[in-house]
Amino acid sequence: MKQSQVSTPAVAGERHAVAGRLCSFLRARHPVKTAENVAAETGIPVATVSSWLDRGSSPNAWALLNLVGAYGADVLCAAMENPPAWLRSAARQAERERVEAEIAALRAKLDEVQP
């Protein structure tokens, strides 16, 4: 029977680095009540998100898929040290769409207050 590989210090260090990058991304996205906001957007329990933030641990595959569902390519780019060009491009396009939607909402609000 095949046994799983033992984690080497290099692998453990990379896992810790990925966890740190993810936590930084989540804190930047939600500077206040990070765990609560991430939980609300992803459906991941607050306690789980809190444990990542407190311990600098990484999400499991299920949680990562929920993070991608909520934050798109941005979260994967944040997690990877050197994301591939196609992923960076997808993240830039998503950011562009978010900013355009924000501008449209602000224009609509401005139109409401025009004399």
Side-chain angles (χ1 to χ4, degrees):
M1 183 179 342
K2 185 177 179 182
Q3 294 182 343
S4 45
Q5 295 179 343
V6 175
S7 181
T8 65
V11 171
E14 180 58 24
R15 284 184 184 157
H16 185 70
V18 168
R21 290 190 294 265
L22 280 172
C23 289
S24 293
F25 171 85
L26 296 173
R27 286 187 175 108
R29 187 61 69 103
H30 304 288
V32 177
K33 294 191 176 190
T34 304
E36 292 83 354
N37 285 306
V38 171
E41 289 193 0
T42 63
I44 299 167
V46 174
T48 300
V49 179
S50 291
S51 73
W52 301 338
L53 298 168
D54 294 341
R55 290 189 265 149
S57 55
S58 297
N60 61 23
W62 172 83
L64 183 59
L65 290 174
N66 283 287
L67 289 169
V68 171
Y71 302 111
D74 285 347
V75 73
L76 292 176
C77 282
M80 299 175 78
E81 187 173 6
N82 295 307
W86 65 266
L87 187 57
R88 289 191 311 271
S89 177
R92 281 192 305 271
Q93 180 61 32
E95 177 66 13
R96 180 179 180 83
E97 290 169 7
R98 273 192 301 280
V99 169
E100 287 175 348
E102 212 174 302
I103 291 168
L106 289 170
R107 282 193 177 127
K109 190 173 182 178
L110 183 61
D111 289 344
E112 291 173 6
V113 297
Q114 290 289 342

